[in-house]
Amino acid sequence: MKAENQKTTKVVKVNTMSKKELIFYTIATGFGVGAVIVYARWWFQWAHIATNHTTFWSVNLFLFVMLSFVVWLGLFQRLAIWFLIFNMKRPVHLEPVKGSKVAMLTCFVPGKEPYELLEKTLRAMVNIRYPHDSWVLDEGDDQVVKDMCKRLGVKHFSRKGIEKYNQESGPYKAKTKAGNHNAWRDKHEEGYDLIAQMDMDHIPQKNYLDKVLGYFRDPEVAFVLAPQVYEKGNWIATGAGEQAYIFNGPMQMGFYGHDMPLFIGTNHAYRPEAMNDIGGYAATIVEDHLTGMHFYANGWKGVYLSEVVAKGEGPGNWVEYFNQQMRWAYGIFEVLFRHSPKLLPQMSWPKRFNYFAAQTYYLVGVAMIIGVFLTCLYLIFGYSSASFDFLGWIKHSFPPFAIAIFLQFWVQRFYVAPWDEKGIGWRGMLLSLGAMPIYAIAFFKAVTRQKLQYAVTAKGSSAGTEIVPLKVFTPHLLIIGLSIFSLIVSVIRHNDAPQLRIWAVINIVLFSIVVASSREWKLNFNSVFIPRPFSVARTATVFTAVLLLMFGSSFFSGGVFAPAQTNGGLVQNVSAETKKVTTEDNKIYLGMSGGDVWNQLPSIERSINKKVLIVGKYQPWGDANSDFDFSLMNSLSEKGYIPMINWEPWDPHFTGAPAEQPVYKLSNITEGNFDIYVHQYAIDVKAYNKPVIIRFAHEMNGNWYPWSAGVNGNSTQDYVAAWRHVHDIFEQNEVKNVTWVWSPNEVFNDDSAPYSHAFDALYPGDNYVDWVAFSAYNWGRVNQNQKWRSFSEIVEPTYQLLEKYNKPMMISEINTSNRGGDKEAWMKDMNFQILQYPKIKAVVWFETPGRDLFQIDTQAASYSSF
């Protein structure tokens, strides 16, 4: 270094936080990390993977993974920021060495940037106290700029027309800031000890070099950075500054604590020796970010000066802001995919982690698009991306969210200018929201290797006056339109998860505010009632009110906000507290089951002049469609029916003896072989949030099912244990809307069924059963060894065995043959005899339309007698 005093010293770093602040922050982040861990343990369960009706289970897993990416990207970034802030450091000031030869540069693009702003910046550069040369790197070799330089005593350089300095790629790439700088370096850098760079729209203070240059006394320091601070202007320029508050302060100080402040090209100084060592500025859109990575990969250090020593102009309207964000996002994605895999392995693990976390920030745009897609996928097609209780999600997600918000406000004390930067930062939040689709487009362009058109952010007084055309908001308008369409379809198709409808409305409202804010530049909102500053809010409010009027009635038509159904007496027959099916004096509920009987119910009800309340569905565990059928269940409940699921742990298509299926041995259930399926089913039932009757593993006292006692290696104890295990899983998931029905077959005599009368040995216990039930069939003379039996002959023996449990009783399957007697008379007689059994509160007719044996209207029997 050509200077009077070349004595070197090490830069000393000190903690930004005091001991008390560090202790408090450690405790607060400890709670935050703990809350995130609890949330993660709850979230990442196999049972939370949705069970959409699809041939490929991998589709359900893929949807869950996408949703997890949306939810956990933000939390990962929040954890990374907490990690950074924990290591915040500031450098102890060092006085610069006297006599260093310093060049101070700024770039200029004629036609893109105003002369008056350039002159303002050059005057400030010339007035900096530390002796130096001021340079303009003029891309256009503009005569006005040359004359300005002569007048102000500024040196002028231009690479225009020089083939060597205008290449299609490489260090002298044309139309890039890096190429412009590298051309000047090749021509004029030799002879300078230190170089300072200042963006053309940033005005440095007189003491800028005095604040920055001293840290180069440490020979390991390659560059020194200062914050990128914007002057407050219109709301977009102010919002752009608000977005950077936490980055310029706590985050950059945290990066500096790890010896890796992120290299920002806005205003910095560098050591020529270090720049030569890495081959100059990296030829990419975000030349500063990649250049910093090269410094660290080569073992150099950087210093971050967390003081305001220069202020610049932010983007003045949405067009300029979007152009800026597109460049930054595209450039970072390009670095992430093409350069980081080579450079990060050359760094320490903290640097690798911090760079990876920083470079994945712009994926928030991709996450937003995925979130919109998943929301619309459910609202339009009914495909869920996860399956869990909405209130359970709120309970687990709120603590980390609340702690994150608290810490975000608490760390404002460490902003670069906390007296001027504290607050909610609503402008920055609105800009971030508006940029989300832009980040997603940048990601797509980067992964498909599309070239990004060169654009310079407009500067000066003209930057904020341009009228913003609506086509600029094409992606935002598409999201709004798709969300509106999805809401309409969700009402028609009864895809009524309220949280997703609300999320769609939030998307509509927020993106509408973004679009409405753009018209502020064009429309006149003057009003004697509402001042101009509230014009955007008024526009958004009117738009929101229209949306609420259009869709408000649909938000609460299902899910956890669903009103009680009144069709079919559902309100009277279901406990408002637990949604369990209750009983009423002098009333017996009629049910139907068998096949897809629900498709014939309207015509059956008209024919018998009776309202059916309970509708049974048989659902084997080993069937291709073994999942909880939201579509069918919602359809039944909307029509006033209570679904009864006959839940059967077997494969009905098994080619061997039906009762001998080793896979479905009861001990396998108890040992947890089917827990993933049972947990998911429980979660789905809970999410359904309407009354469901579950008749699990019925007729267990027979010998024709693989869950029967005495077959398939099962004992009576095995049956009780399996029932309790399944029931406990529902309890663990806090499922309150299930009525559990324990349902043996009627007592019978058969030497091959040793437990036909062993009700007590098979009974799971009062705490596990809500109703008791039994199957009762009059087979008539179907076989020669059978006889015609009256209703009472069938019911009486079993009723006596079940009565002692003091539970509501149901005949869960009943029908009569037409062979060997009068079917019509039998049904009429049933209507009178059933009154002798007061505990029977429901009768479910097993109806199989199209089959002669089990059908109401066969031969003499008629609907009227039924």
Side-chain angles (χ1 to χ4, degrees):
M1 181 179 289
K2 301 173 184 178
E4 294 177 0
N5 184 358
Q6 298 188 23
K7 184 179 179 181
T8 63
T9 185
K10 293 290 184 182
V11 176
V12 176
K13 295 187 292 188
V14 295
N15 289 327
T16 301
M17 285 189 275
S18 67
K19 289 184 178 179
K20 288 184 179 179
E21 289 172 333
L22 185 59
I23 292 172
F24 178 84
Y25 182 76
T26 302
I27 294 172
T29 53
F31 278 114
V33 171
V36 171
I37 292 173
V38 171
Y39 184 24
R41 291 184 62 185
W42 175 84
W43 178 275
F44 292 105
Q45 300 180 47
W46 284 107
H48 284 169
I49 298 174
T51 52
N52 300 296
H53 295 297
T54 174
T55 305
F56 302 102
W57 180 83
S58 57
V59 173
N60 296 324
L61 177 61
F62 177 69
L63 293 176
F64 181 73
V65 169
M66 285 204 299
L67 179 63
S68 298
F69 170 75
V70 172
V71 172
W72 286 91
L73 175 65
L75 283 169
F76 164 73
Q77 292 174 344
R78 186 58 54 187
L79 289 171
I81 292 174
W82 291 351
F83 173 68
L84 273 180
I85 293 175
F86 194 82
N87 291 276
M88 289 190 300
K89 296 288 192 296
R90 297 177 187 268
V92 175
H93 176 68
L94 290 175
E95 290 292 331
V97 175
K98 294 181 179 179
S100 297
K101 190 171 182 182
V102 179
M104 194 164 189
L105 322 175
T106 192
C107 296
F108 183 74
V109 182
K112 298 290 185 179
E113 298 168 310
Y115 296 118
E116 62 271 18
L117 184 55
L118 174 63
E119 182 166 347
K120 183 178 179 181
T121 301
L122 291 179
R123 288 184 181 278
M125 289 169 57
V126 169
N127 289 332
I128 289 176
R129 287 196 296 255
Y130 192 94
H132 65 283
D133 293 335
S134 296
W135 285 84
V136 173
L137 280 55
D138 176 12
E139 283 279 18
D141 198 22
D142 189 269
Q143 188 60 48
V144 175
V145 176
K146 290 179 181 179
D147 293 341
M148 186 186 301
C149 289
K150 289 180 182 179
R151 179 164 34 90
L152 298 176
V154 174
K155 296 179 181 294
H156 181 272
F157 168 78
S158 180
R159 61 172 171 164
K160 183 179 180 181
I162 303 175
E163 184 178 354
K164 174 183 176 181
Y165 296 144
N166 289 274
Q167 304 292 320
E168 292 186 3
S169 60
Y172 305 121
K173 187 176 181 179
K175 295 184 177 180
T176 65
K177 188 176 178 181
N180 198 5
H181 272 286
N182 288 333
W184 178 88
R185 290 183 56 253
D186 182 67
K187 189 78 172 176
H188 299 289
E189 185 180 76
E190 187 176 357
Y192 285 108
D193 299 318
L194 298 169
I195 312 296
Q197 139 71 25
M198 184 69 56
D199 273 4
M200 191 278 299
D201 62 326
H202 274 63
I203 309 300
Q205 297 175 357
K206 288 184 178 181
N207 63 349
Y208 179 83
L209 293 178
D210 295 317
K211 289 282 188 178
V212 167
L213 298 184
Y215 301 110
F216 288 103
R217 290 167 61 180
D218 186 334
E220 295 181 353
V221 172
F223 62 89
V224 179
L225 306 172
Q228 180 182 15
V229 179
Y230 293 141
E231 290 278 7
K232 288 187 166 125
N234 63 34
W235 79 267
I236 289 184
T238 303
E242 290 176 353
Q243 282 185 297
Y245 287 167
I246 192 169
F247 175 79
N248 285 328
M251 289 181 64
Q252 278 286 53
M253 286 188 285
F255 284 125
Y256 180 49
H258 289 285
D259 288 324
M260 54 160 298
L262 296 191
F263 190 69
I264 304 297
T266 303
N267 56 81
H268 65 270
Y270 68 85
R271 187 190 303 272
E273 177 188 353
M275 189 65 77
N276 289 328
D277 184 46
I278 64 171
Y281 285 94
T284 184
I285 292 178
V286 285
E287 80 293 329
D288 47 3
H289 185 88
L290 184 54
T291 299
M293 295 182 71
H294 283 297
F295 278 131
Y296 297 134
N298 282 32
W300 292 94
K301 292 182 179 180
V303 173
Y304 183 67
L305 175 66
S306 54
E307 296 182 37
V308 179
V309 290
K311 285 188 176 183
E313 289 193 4
N317 60 36
W318 279 109
V319 174
E320 299 305 330
Y321 175 74
F322 285 163
N323 285 338
Q324 179 195 72
Q325 297 299 308
M326 176 66 79
R327 290 198 310 275
W328 290 356
Y330 179 94
I332 292 297
F333 284 135
E334 189 177 49
V335 171
L336 175 64
F337 298 136
R338 296 180 57 187
H339 301 282
S340 290
K342 300 176 183 177
L343 293 173
L344 292 186
Q346 303 176 46
M347 304 179 195
S348 64
W349 278 107
K351 287 185 175 69
R352 296 182 199 181
F353 173 78
N354 288 328
Y355 262 119
F356 177 76
Q359 290 169 2
T360 55
Y361 165 74
Y362 291 108
L363 287 174
V364 294
V366 179
M368 184 277 300
I369 293 297
I370 293 175
V372 172
F373 166 75
L374 294 177
T375 300
C376 295
L377 184 67
Y378 171 80
L379 294 178
I380 297 174
F381 300 105
Y383 274 80
S384 300
S385 48
S387 180
F388 45 70
D389 175 54
F390 178 63
L391 294 180
W393 173 70
I394 292 294
K395 181 175 70 175
H396 288 89
S397 64
F398 180 76
F401 170 78
I403 293 171
I405 294 298
F406 168 77
L407 287 173
Q408 185 167 335
F409 279 95
W410 187 81
V411 300
Q412 288 184 0
R413 66 192 64 201
F414 305 115
Y415 284 177
V416 175
W419 57 88
D420 193 40
E421 296 179 349
K422 288 184 177 180
I424 297 175
W426 66 266
R427 301 172 188 85
M429 289 189 287
L430 182 58
L431 287 181
S432 295
L433 174 70
M436 294 291 184
I438 305 304
Y439 299 156
I441 295 171
F443 174 82
F444 175 77
K445 286 179 176 290
V447 297
T448 57
R449 298 290 184 95
Q450 297 182 37
K451 289 186 177 181
L452 193 66
Q453 186 176 1
Y454 179 74
V456 177
T457 303
K459 310 291 195 311
S461 59
S462 63
T465 59
E466 181 182 342
I467 294 174
V468 180
L470 279 178
K471 68 179 182 180
V472 171
F473 297 93
T474 299
H476 307 78
L477 293 171
L478 287 174
I479 292 172
I480 293 170
L482 180 59
S483 299
I484 292 175
F485 174 76
S486 299
L487 279 174
I488 296 173
V489 174
S490 76
V491 175
I492 297 172
R493 303 192 66 173
H494 305 291
N495 297 325
D496 52 7
Q499 63 271 26
L500 293 179
R501 286 184 175 176
I502 292 171
W503 192 250
V505 172
I506 289 173
N507 285 334
I508 294 169
V509 172
L510 292 181
F511 283 112
S512 295
I513 292 174
V514 170
V515 176
S517 71
S518 72
R519 312 317 296 159
E520 176 73 1
W521 308 114
K522 183 177 180 181
L523 303 178
N524 181 9
F525 286 106
N526 291 332
S527 169
V528 296
F529 301 107
I530 303 178
R532 181 176 175 79
F534 296 99
S535 57
V536 173
R538 179 178 65 177
T539 304
T541 301
V542 172
F543 191 84
T544 303
V546 172
L547 288 172
L548 291 176
L549 287 174
M550 290 173 63
F551 302 108
S553 61
S554 70
F555 297 153
F556 307 100
S557 63
V560 296
F561 300 125
Q565 300 276 356
T566 56
N567 190 14
L570 202 60
V571 172
Q572 292 82 6
N573 302 325
V574 175
S575 165
E577 196 170 299
T578 64
K579 292 188 173 67
K580 289 185 180 291
V581 178
T582 60
T583 62
E584 290 188 54
D585 293 337
N586 304 319
K587 282 192 177 181
I588 301 174
Y589 307 146
L590 175 63
M592 288 277 181
S593 69
D596 59 347
V597 69
W598 47 85
N599 290 326
Q600 284 77 34
L601 278 176
S603 62
I604 292 175
E605 287 177 325
R606 286 193 298 270
S607 299
I608 66 176
N609 197 28
K610 292 271 185 198
K611 175 64 185 176
V612 173
L613 179 64
I614 299 169
V615 177
K617 170 184 171 60
Y618 289 82
Q619 189 150 48
W621 289 16
D623 194 74
N625 296 317
S626 61
D627 303 332
F628 184 78
D629 192 337
F630 277 98
S631 178
L632 174 61
M633 298 304 154
N634 282 322
S635 176
L636 292 176
S637 66
E638 288 165 5
K639 296 171 184 175
Y641 303 124
I642 300 176
M644 180 172 75
I645 298 169
N646 301 285
W647 211 21
E648 305 172 315
W650 73 325
D651 181 357
H653 310 294
F654 186 69
T655 55
E660 298 296 333
Q661 298 187 30
V663 172
Y664 293 97
K665 186 178 179 181
L666 288 173
S667 60
N668 289 339
I669 297 176
T670 308
E671 290 169 5
N673 292 10
F674 299 94
D675 278 7
I676 292 176
Y677 168 68
V678 177
H679 269 287
Q680 183 59 61
Y681 207 93
I683 291 168
D684 288 347
V685 170
K686 183 178 181 180
Y688 173 62
N689 202 38
K690 298 165 190 173
V692 176
I693 298 170
I694 291 185
R695 179 178 174 239
F696 173 64
H698 56 282
E699 301 175 9
M700 78 300 295
N701 58 325
N703 60 0
W704 46 86
Y705 289 126
W707 62 81
S708 299
V711 301
N712 204 28
N714 301 325
S715 67
T716 55
Q717 294 89 341
D718 289 332
Y719 181 83
V720 171
W723 176 287
R724 291 181 177 181
H725 182 75
V726 171
H727 185 280
D728 287 346
I729 289 176
F730 277 71
E731 288 294 310
Q732 291 167 19
N733 287 282
E734 300 180 350
V735 185
K736 304 295 186 184
N737 54 318
V738 170
T739 300
W740 291 93
V741 174
W742 178 70
S743 179
N745 191 69
E746 61 166 306
V747 294
F748 62 101
N749 294 312
D750 189 331
D751 293 339
S752 64
Y755 300 107
S756 62
H757 292 72
F759 283 15
D760 287 347
L762 294 165
Y763 184 61
D766 289 345
N767 293 333
Y768 293 87
V769 175
D770 297 308
W771 286 51
V772 295
F774 62 100
S775 304
Y777 287 92
N778 174 34
W779 294 92
R781 298 288 295 174
V782 173
N783 297 317
Q784 291 183 356
N785 61 341
Q786 294 174 322
K787 68 174 184 177
W788 185 271
R789 296 185 297 163
S790 69
F791 177 81
S792 292
E793 287 179 295
I794 297 169
V795 171
E796 181 69 29
T798 308
Y799 183 86
Q800 290 182 8
L801 289 177
L802 294 177
E803 187 177 16
K804 65 180 178 181
Y805 297 120
N806 198 30
K807 298 280 187 180
M809 197 179 301
M810 174 190 300
I811 301 178
S812 49
E813 293 183 26
I814 190 169
N815 207 313
T816 180
S817 168
N818 58 0
R819 301 173 190 178
D822 188 337
K823 183 172 184 176
E824 181 178 9
W826 191 96
M827 289 192 293
K828 287 181 179 179
D829 185 53
M830 178 183 70
N831 282 287
F832 295 102
Q833 292 186 26
I834 197 171
L835 299 178
Q836 301 173 30
Y837 307 101
K839 286 194 175 297
I840 296 178
K841 295 297 182 181
V843 175
V844 180
W845 187 265
F846 188 83
E847 173 77 0
T848 54
R851 289 182 60 187
D852 180 66
L853 182 60
F854 293 138
Q855 192 172 353
I856 295 174
D857 61 341
T858 55
Q859 294 188 2
S862 66
Y863 282 117
S864 59
S865 63
F866 182 84

